[in-house]
Amino acid sequence: MRYAYYPGCSLECNAAAYDWSVRAVAEVFGLELPEIDDWNCCGATEYFSQDELTACAVIARNLALVDPQLDQVVAPCAACYLNLKKVDRLMAENPKMEELINQALAAGGLHYRPGRVRVRHFLEVLHTDVGEQKIREKVVRPLTGLRVAPYYGCQWVRPFKEVDNPEYPMKMDELLSWVGAEVIDYPVKAHCCGGHMTQISEPQAFELIRRLLYSAEEYKADLIACMCPMCQLNLDAYQSRVNGYFNTNFKIPIVYFTQVVGLALGLDMYRLGFGKEIVGARPVLEAKLQAQVAAQT
């Protein structure tokens, strides 16, 4: 299976562990991810409020750059996934917008026909295209006893709800259970992490983050698995600030679901990017794996 790969800006910097683990896991399952040549930033979310047409044209450029031999593009970042899918849908439903966007693209010698490229998230590819049987067959290090809180955030299932339940998604839950993890019933799994609210109103942002951390702690999760770089950044980088603000003592590792899956597939922790997170996950993971070994002897 071959998909165009759109990593997005975060995966080249603070979310490098996500990129590493996506590529490593894809290799195990024989998934080819040729990166889109000369891709550009998706604009995140703020640019739409400034100039919708320009924002859409910038995003559509990435779709137009997809190899003509490929009809699907994988975007691991939930915001990138949402933006690419949103613009493709907008062009399909609004002929005038399609015309204006293609006029902008023409300045760079490009054109995009809406619907030509199907936008996918890597979670959906693993869950649906690879599937349960193949994933279970590749597990060499079942994550027995590792309690994981699956955190989806709000952008993967809203507003496009055809991939999962928008209020209580389950695809990550199922995927992590296939690799042997104990997936907790995480009631806030689709709540917002606050996005860039930390730059606008820290009290509101910290409260949103606190709720997510508190729920994971309440349900005795060993770690939180994310599918969005912004979610991972907020929960990880601001955890100490939240502790200071609320006088709490959260010490919950925040990793990517692909890192957890890769660990079960027997991949090296360094190759999966473990150690790049601020609240270290290795002590928890090594303790769980050692406990497994001890139980088997």
Side-chain angles (χ1 to χ4, degrees):
M1 293 181 280
R2 201 163 182 261
Y3 311 80
Y5 183 52
Y6 178 78
C9 307
S10 295
L11 274 74
E12 290 201 329
C13 189
N14 63 284
Y18 199 7
D19 180 58
W20 294 6
S21 55
V22 165
R23 294 177 189 269
V25 169
E27 184 178 326
V28 171
F29 294 110
L31 305 176
E32 296 183 49
L33 298 176
E35 189 171 325
I36 296 174
D37 185 43
D38 197 33
W39 60 266
N40 56 261
C41 177
C42 78
T45 54
E46 287 81 355
Y47 201 15
F48 277 92
S49 66
Q50 301 299 313
D51 187 332
E52 183 181 37
L53 177 58
T54 303
C56 289
V58 166
I59 295 166
R61 180 178 180 275
N62 294 305
L63 295 170
L65 287 170
V66 171
D67 187 330
Q69 302 300 314
L70 300 175
D71 60 2
Q72 299 185 69
V73 58
V74 169
C77 170
C80 296
Y81 162 83
L82 174 62
N83 282 341
L84 290 167
K85 192 162 186 171
K86 178 165 58 177
V87 169
D88 181 59
R89 187 74 59 91
L90 178 63
M91 292 178 70
E93 296 175 351
N94 189 328
K96 182 60 178 177
M97 183 64 83
E98 178 190 356
E99 178 185 354
L100 292 173
I101 291 173
N102 273 315
Q103 285 178 8
L105 293 178
L110 297 172
H111 182 275
Y112 180 67
R113 175 176 54 81
R116 187 188 81 76
V117 177
R118 182 184 177 191
V119 181
R120 312 285 300 281
H121 192 282
F122 193 59
L123 171 60
E124 183 191 5
V125 168
L126 284 181
H127 182 280
T128 306
D129 296 7
V130 178
E132 179 178 2
Q133 182 177 343
K134 290 182 180 178
I135 289 173
R136 288 187 181 276
E137 289 173 354
K138 291 292 186 179
V139 173
V140 299
R141 187 163 50 192
L143 304 178
T144 307
L146 181 67
R147 292 176 59 82
V148 182
Y151 180 51
Y152 298 76
C154 54
Q155 294 188 308
W156 185 53
V157 288
R158 303 188 188 99
F160 304 114
K161 58 185 180 181
E162 62 265 25
V163 292
D164 212 334
N165 186 309
E167 298 304 323
Y168 207 75
M170 287 298 296
K171 279 187 168 60
M172 195 196 311
D173 294 58
E174 293 168 356
L175 174 63
L176 294 175
S177 71
W178 297 343
V179 299
E182 184 178 346
V183 183
I184 70 165
D185 184 16
Y186 192 44
V188 294
K189 64 170 76 175
H191 287 204
C192 182
C193 73
H196 294 128
M197 184 63 71
T198 52
Q199 310 305 309
I200 302 169
S201 174
E202 285 192 346
Q204 281 78 10
F206 289 171
E207 171 58 18
L208 291 172
I209 296 169
R210 184 200 66 81
R211 294 177 188 178
L212 298 171
L213 296 171
Y214 173 79
S215 184
E217 185 177 78
E218 184 181 29
Y219 284 81
K220 296 181 173 57
D222 294 313
L223 53 80
I224 296 175
C226 296
M227 56 181 293
C228 172
M230 176 58 74
C231 296
Q232 195 280 336
L233 176 67
N234 277 342
L235 294 178
D236 191 27
Y238 287 98
Q239 196 165 151
S240 62
R241 296 279 301 278
V242 168
N243 282 333
Y245 191 84
F246 291 103
N247 195 30
T248 49
N249 190 35
F250 299 121
K251 294 179 182 177
I252 305 172
I254 315 296
V255 301
Y256 295 102
F257 78 96
T258 44
Q259 292 178 283
V260 179
V261 171
L263 191 65
L265 299 177
L267 298 175
D268 179 73
M269 282 192 181
Y270 177 80
R271 186 182 179 194
L272 294 169
F274 284 111
K276 288 185 171 293
E277 68 280 354
I278 295 171
V279 180
R282 292 183 69 120
V284 172
L285 295 171
E286 288 170 353
K288 292 290 180 178
L289 294 175
Q290 288 170 6
Q292 282 185 32
V293 173
Q296 295 169 359
T297 57

